[in-house]
Amino acid sequence: MNEIIIGIDLGTTNSEVAVVEQGKVTVIADGDKNILPSYVGIDDNGDIIVGETARNQYLAYPERTIKSIKRLMGENTQVNLADQKYTPQEISAIILKRLKAIAETYLGQPVSKAVITVPAYFSDAQRQATREAGEIAGLDVVRMINEPTAAALAYDAGEQEKKHVLVYDLGGGTFDVSVVNIEAGVVEVLSSHGDNHLGGDDFDQQIIEYLLKHLQETYGVDARKHSKAMARITRAAENAKFLLSEQPYAQIEEEYLLENDGTPIHLSIELSRMVYEEMIEDYINVTMDAVHIAMKGAKLAMSDIDEIVLVGGSTRTPCIRERLSNEFGFEPHSEVDADLCVAMGAAIQAAMINGQEVDTVLVDVTPYTYGTAAIGTLDGESYPFMFVPIIHKNSVLPNRKVEAFATSHDGQMAVDVTIYQGEDPDALNNVKIGEFRVEGLQDVERGNIVTLALELDLNGILHVSAEEKATGLEKSITIENALSNFEGSTLDTAKQRISSLFGQLDSSLYGQDESLVIEHEQPAAPEIEAAQATIKKAESLFETISSEDKEDMVDLIEMISANIEAKDIAGLDKPVAELNDIIYYLES
């Protein structure tokens, strides 16, 4: 029997996990809710909290809570959480680890493989960061698929009649639109376009600015200086947005929001849907421009679209449905749950990979053009950084293309290869995503041929190789930015760090000890077994000790775990002895 593969929608605002059972998709609930808010926090006891609890804490302790981390994926940055710094991958890994545990509780067995969805317009760096987050969480990410594609799978994957479907995906932090052909169980993405920094968070911010302006004009107070007041204003803005999806007016009330010179300030204001939709009109215009670009990429007219599928909670904004109805002449579909369909599609893809009976074949495309720079002609003049597209936007995945280039001068012994992502004919206006050097070329006249091969895999990760045609001299890399060096020992350290944060939470959630799976693979040395027993004993005390003692123990556990990973028996002596001393002190 194949190991179960789960499907995960790792969202900006909410995340979900799903699985296919007996041919049907189940979105797995955590208690009575099948949506996990994408919030991570540290509670009063110094323990990690994820989901609804963290979301509720955000109002009182915004400094101990992280939201919308997806917007930072792929960036070389860190966020502060309770005076500790974490990468976006680590925070996302905490959410994934929680989803993994929810699935394990439901299935009654450990889970180690997942299909994770990403926005269609996610860059190579953002996809790589998502894969790293999965690995830190203890998941083998067997496939990443684009969110609109996943939604199309969930929508009507078994459709036999040919249909052109527009998938409009507006989530909390990202926007994608894809044109999809569905026929005889084949889901083929024809084109995609989008914006990785446009979503419901931006709508919230417009309401927040409106409320801040009201407070400034009415009371002469700048609420930006008060973190807890800002957290309450943010939550009030989110709630108003939700209300305005159903009602023409939203009354915003926040009593005792803050004090100004000893006087309590109460927020009380009515916001109309008309005013709100004026606030976000520019954002909606951007999405509609993207729709037209996607339609052009698919070489289809508006009249060629048979169905419109709305994905993401932000699509509940009435003016979006109205704008799409006006453009295409018919109403978008609403029978598919906008919040759950992406996770459902991920589960369907996972089942397909696992060999389960699913009447669907998935054909996805790349949303970007990839290429290199070469000497050429731009605007009628010779230019050394002309962009040469190799894999074009909307090419079917997986995809491999090869182009030939020639050396530019006699005796050229090396070539520098720079890879760009974008559409501009000037390579310098596109995004540089990697570079390498091929040295040791033949000492010959100019015109020596070097072929450059670009290969995009099913996850949209780019592999590049350059070869001197005459000799076979080759240099190859996988394109990665600075964040993609988050691997090896650094990745292991992050994995240990996040595991330590959870303490015993994993085993208490699903009644399984994940380490048993690893330990059974081969017998461990007695010293390693003793060290592992010490770690377990230390972790069993986490719930009853101070945060200071816990921090000391976590540092030692990380050191011990690193030595176990490296099979450094001698290196275990000192940290194990120190950890045993702390345990003895705490138990005496």
Side-chain angles (χ1 to χ4, degrees), residues 216 218-223 225-226 257-266:
Q216 184 73 55
T218 306
Y219 302 104
V221 62
D222 183 3
K225 300 175 182 177
H226 306 269
L257 182 65
L258 50 86
E259 283 192 3
N260 185 32
D261 295 331
T263 303
I265 302 297
H266 309 290

Side-chain angles (χ1 to χ4, degrees), residues 162 308 468:
K162 182 175 181 177
I308 301 171
E468 185 179 31

Side-chain angles (χ1 to χ4, degrees), residues 280-292 323:
I280 64 172
E281 184 177 9
D282 288 345
Y283 293 119
I284 305 303
N285 289 340
V286 169
T287 71
M288 296 310 299
D289 289 342
V291 167
H292 290 115
R323 289 285 297 272

Side-chain angles (χ1 to χ4, degrees), residues 95-141:
I95 298 169
L96 289 172
K97 201 169 179 69
R98 178 70 181 130
L99 291 168
K100 177 177 181 285
I102 291 169
E104 288 170 327
T105 300
Y106 174 80
L107 296 167
Q109 66 182 79
V111 170
S112 63
K113 295 182 178 181
V115 169
I116 300 179
T117 61
V118 291
Y121 228 57
F122 248 25
S123 67
D124 187 70
Q126 290 167 311
R127 291 168 190 265
Q128 183 70 22
T130 303
R131 181 176 292 281
E132 289 162 359
E135 188 167 345
I136 295 168
L139 287 168
D140 173 15
V141 184

Side-chain angles (χ1 to χ4, degrees), residues 456-495:
L456 269 173
D457 66 19
L458 288 169
N459 298 309
I461 305 294
L462 184 64
H463 307 273
V464 183
S465 62
E467 179 181 328
E468 185 179 31
K469 185 172 182 289
T471 66
L473 175 70
E474 186 178 19
K475 173 83 172 181
S476 63
I477 63 167
T478 297
I479 294 294
E480 298 171 352
N481 72 343
L483 281 179
S484 297
N485 295 325
F486 200 87
E487 48 188 46
S489 60
T490 309
L491 194 62
D492 290 336
T493 301
K495 192 183 296 186

